[in-house]
Amino acid sequence: FAPSGPGILTRTLLNAGLRVVALENNSAFLPNLQSLENSLDGQLKVIYGDFFRLDPLVTGTLKPPAMCSDKLFETMGVAPVPWGADVPLRVFGILPQKKERNMLWKFIFALYECSSIYRWGRVELNIFLSEKQYKVLTAKPGETRAYQALTVLWQVGCEIQLLHM
Ligand SMILES: *[C@@H]1O[C@H](CO)[C@@H](O)[C@H](O)[C@H]1NC(C)=O
């Protein structure tokens, strides 16, 4: 599923023949996406929500587009799979640069805890991120500045692959 924004990712995924759940956090863009959804006979599901505000650490009632993964996965109709099973779903998104580091910490935390999206199994992330953070994630020991705690946690927890630059 993808944050749809201008809809580039969503359309590309749809054209590739995939079933897509699009999370749109801007209600002004919803009508357009919903008419696309209605024209597609089940290939696209549009949800008002923000992937980068999923399972906030604060407790209390969530105000949309913030949302909890329980609700999201229920709406998507995706059931949890065991950790050793194949990837249950793929996430495509563009990490907003302001939140990039926070998000990388949040995801890796959730991964080690098998919490949030990782309660459903080994969710694959396909994300656009800045070259700077990519270098942090893939740094080697001895590369001062780039090699950080975040580097080690991601490299131990995940297989990191550069798909496109
Ligand atoms: C939607 O998400 C983008 C990217 O994370 C963010 O810049 C924007 O402020 C969000 N909009 C709302 C209404 O939450």
Side-chain angles (χ1 to χ4, degrees):
F1 60 126
S4 21
I8 298 167
L9 278 174
T10 304
R11 276 166 210 279
T12 307
L13 296 168
L14 289 171
N15 290 341
L18 298 172
R19 255 188 63 217
V20 178
V21 175
L23 289 188
E24 176 54 67
N25 76 343
N26 186 334
S27 47
F29 294 153
L30 279 174
N32 249 336
L33 276 164
Q34 278 156 349
S35 59
L36 185 62
E37 177 180 22
N38 293 335
S39 71
L40 281 175
D41 201 28
Q43 198 197 347
L44 172 67
K45 193 179 188 88
V46 177
I47 295 174
Y48 177 53
D50 190 338
F51 185 70
F52 299 116
R53 289 171 65 192
L54 203 58
D55 302 322
L57 296 172
V58 292
T59 47
T61 11
L62 290 184
K63 202 168 150 268
M67 67 193 309
C68 63
S69 49
D70 287 19
K71 190 142 174 257
L72 174 62
F73 280 77
E74 190 190 307
T75 314
M76 290 195 296
V78 174
V81 300
W83 196 251
D86 199 6
V87 170
L89 84 157
R90 299 186 162 77
V91 176
F92 293 83
I94 302 172
L95 269 183
Q97 282 199 14
K98 269 194 315 210
K99 297 189 197 165
E100 209 169 40
R101 268 188 86 82
N102 278 351
M103 286 299 129
L104 290 172
W105 275 110
K106 202 177 146 187
F107 285 132
I108 201 64
F109 224 90
L111 187 144
Y112 282 103
E113 289 187 334
C114 291
S115 64
S116 188
I117 56 172
Y118 296 107
R119 277 180 46 210
W120 279 263
R122 294 184 296 129
V123 171
E124 180 183 297
L125 298 180
N126 296 270
I127 46 182
F128 289 80
L129 79 170
S130 70
E131 189 173 348
K132 187 174 168 208
Q133 287 310 324
Y134 171 75
K135 284 187 167 152
V136 169
L137 294 187
T138 54
K140 295 195 174 54
E143 289 177 20
T144 36
R145 279 205 281 277
Y147 193 71
Q148 303 168 7
L150 194 56
T151 314
V152 179
L153 291 171
W154 274 94
Q155 290 185 11
V156 172
C158 293
E159 195 182 322
I160 303 168
Q161 230 182 319
L162 177 65
L163 300 175
H164 186 69
M165 189 173 170

